[in-house]
Amino acid sequence: MRLGLRELVLSIFLLFNTIHFGCYYKSNESTVLRIKGSDTMYNLTSILANEFMKNNPTVSIYVEGGGTKTGINALVKGEIDICTASRLPKSDEVRVLANEFGSIGMSTLVAKDALSIYLNPKNPIKNLTVNQLKDIFTCKVNNWKQLGGEDLPIKLLIRSTNSGTHLYFKEHVLQMQEYCDEAEIKSATEEIVKTVASQENAIGYGGIGFNNGILHSKINNIEPTEENVRNEKYPISRYLMFITLNTPTGISKKFIDWVISPEGQEVIKKAGFISLWDKRL
């Protein structure tokens, strides 16, 4: 049966709107999430992002490191959706957020971490006190022989000032004293790990999730285990967090909600970090 002019126009109108609606809907399915910040959290967040994208194929998540300070700066500039952080924002950073956005930001705890002290497996020293760490990283102790080890100069490795781990260590171990001038600055935790793994006299610090070729020292005779960190027995543990400008919405909320869910927390444990809670409780 032939269509009349009225029916033909109506059919074209409906067809156009169906195509238009379909294209519009499809474009909204595809979502980009940009995350940047803590170098300690880079590998962890990358693993979380990949797992999330497996079940959300229309979502693209881009993860960068660079340090907590770098992430907060990117958040203020509107370059990212989520800042990964191994420390809370400092007062000057909070002031910038408040002045620019009328908000002090929203921090969501996602995991716990032992700030681990990396030693070479050949180093006979397996246990250090917090006071010894302070003396080592302020150059009051500069040879392993002074601590009962080999007669070797201590090679110090630290993170840059952009790193939340750098500041946390300075606050909680050095008690705000300055790092030793002889310390070698590394831009990424992976660089510290590689150097410690290859040099017997080296020492550095970073997240517990890094394990290639290094030994995690006991601190005050307490191992950096999941149980000891969760129960606050290990002396230098901390929370890892996501920071957003405001209460998360949209895909940011969906991702963060998944990360703190039992499924996301299980991924965190498998990545070598410590979940917020023990699912057996």
Side-chain angles (χ1 to χ4, degrees):
M1 183 176 69
R2 297 178 64 184
L3 293 174
L5 180 60
R6 182 174 179 273
E7 288 82 5
L8 181 60
V9 171
L10 180 60
S11 297
I12 293 173
F13 176 81
L14 291 173
L15 178 61
F16 173 80
N17 278 277
T18 299
I19 294 172
H20 178 71
F21 177 78
C23 292
Y24 177 82
Y25 178 72
K26 185 175 181 180
S27 67
N28 274 268
E29 282 186 327
S30 181
T31 308
V32 174
L33 187 62
R34 299 189 183 278
I35 304 174
K36 187 174 186 176
S38 169
D39 181 72
T40 297
M41 296 177 68
Y42 173 73
N43 287 340
L44 172 62
T45 309
S46 297
I47 292 170
L48 288 166
N50 287 332
E51 288 298 317
F52 183 81
M53 287 188 290
K54 286 179 182 178
N55 296 320
N56 298 271
T58 60
V59 176
S60 297
I61 304 178
Y62 298 92
V63 181
E64 295 181 71
T68 299
K69 182 178 180 180
T70 300
I72 292 176
N73 288 341
L75 188 67
V76 170
K77 293 176 182 178
E79 297 172 350
I80 59 173
D81 305 290
I82 298 173
C83 166
T84 51
S86 57
R87 61 166 174 81
L88 288 168
K90 296 188 293 184
S91 58
D92 60 324
E93 293 166 336
V94 170
R95 192 179 307 114
V96 171
L97 287 169
N99 290 340
E100 291 289 330
F101 304 100
S103 165
I104 61 172
M106 174 86 175
S107 299
T108 303
L109 305 181
V110 297
K112 293 198 76 172
D113 181 33
L115 200 164
S116 183
I117 305 302
Y118 305 149
L119 297 174
N120 185 284
K122 293 181 181 179
N123 192 331
I125 302 295
K126 311 296 181 186
N127 176 57
L128 293 164
T129 67
V130 173
N131 285 335
Q132 285 174 331
L133 285 176
K134 182 180 177 182
D135 289 343
I136 290 170
F137 282 86
T138 56
C139 273
K140 291 178 182 176
V141 171
N142 52 34
N143 193 298
W144 286 110
K145 186 177 181 180
Q146 295 172 263
L147 301 171
E150 301 292 338
D151 186 10
L152 292 171
I154 297 174
K155 183 178 181 65
L156 285 177
L157 304 166
I158 66 174
R159 291 293 315 286
S160 70
T161 54
N162 284 340
S163 164
T165 304
H166 172 104
L167 181 60
Y168 181 92
F169 192 88
K170 184 176 181 179
E171 289 178 341
H172 292 82
V173 177
L174 305 188
Q175 297 176 341
M176 294 308 294
Q177 291 189 28
E178 294 300 323
Y179 282 95
C180 175
D181 289 338
E182 297 177 13
E184 186 175 328
I185 298 172
K186 297 293 186 181
S187 61
T189 308
E190 287 281 7
E191 295 180 26
I192 291 179
V193 171
K194 288 179 181 178
T195 304
V196 172
S198 63
Q199 299 187 36
E200 183 178 342
N201 64 327
I203 182 173
Y205 56 70
I208 195 175
F210 295 82
N211 296 290
N212 294 336
I214 57 171
L215 171 78
H216 296 271
S217 175
K218 294 180 181 178
I219 304 298
N220 294 350
N221 210 35
I222 300 171
E223 294 183 8
T225 63
E226 177 179 350
E227 182 179 1
N228 288 337
V229 172
R230 193 188 306 284
N231 295 332
E232 306 290 343
K233 291 181 179 179
Y234 184 74
I236 42 177
S237 58
R238 58 185 175 169
Y239 283 100
L240 304 177
M241 66 198 76
F242 290 161
I243 301 175
T244 52
L245 287 177
N246 296 291
T247 303
T249 60
I251 192 61
S252 294
K253 182 180 188 307
K254 186 175 181 181
F255 177 65
I256 293 173
D257 285 349
W258 175 80
V259 168
I260 62 178
S261 74
E263 183 181 354
Q265 291 294 299
E266 191 62 28
V267 174
I268 285 171
K269 289 181 67 175
K270 289 179 180 179
F273 289 83
I274 298 163
S275 61
L276 293 175
W277 56 81
D278 188 338
K279 66 180 181 180
R280 296 172 298 178
L281 298 179

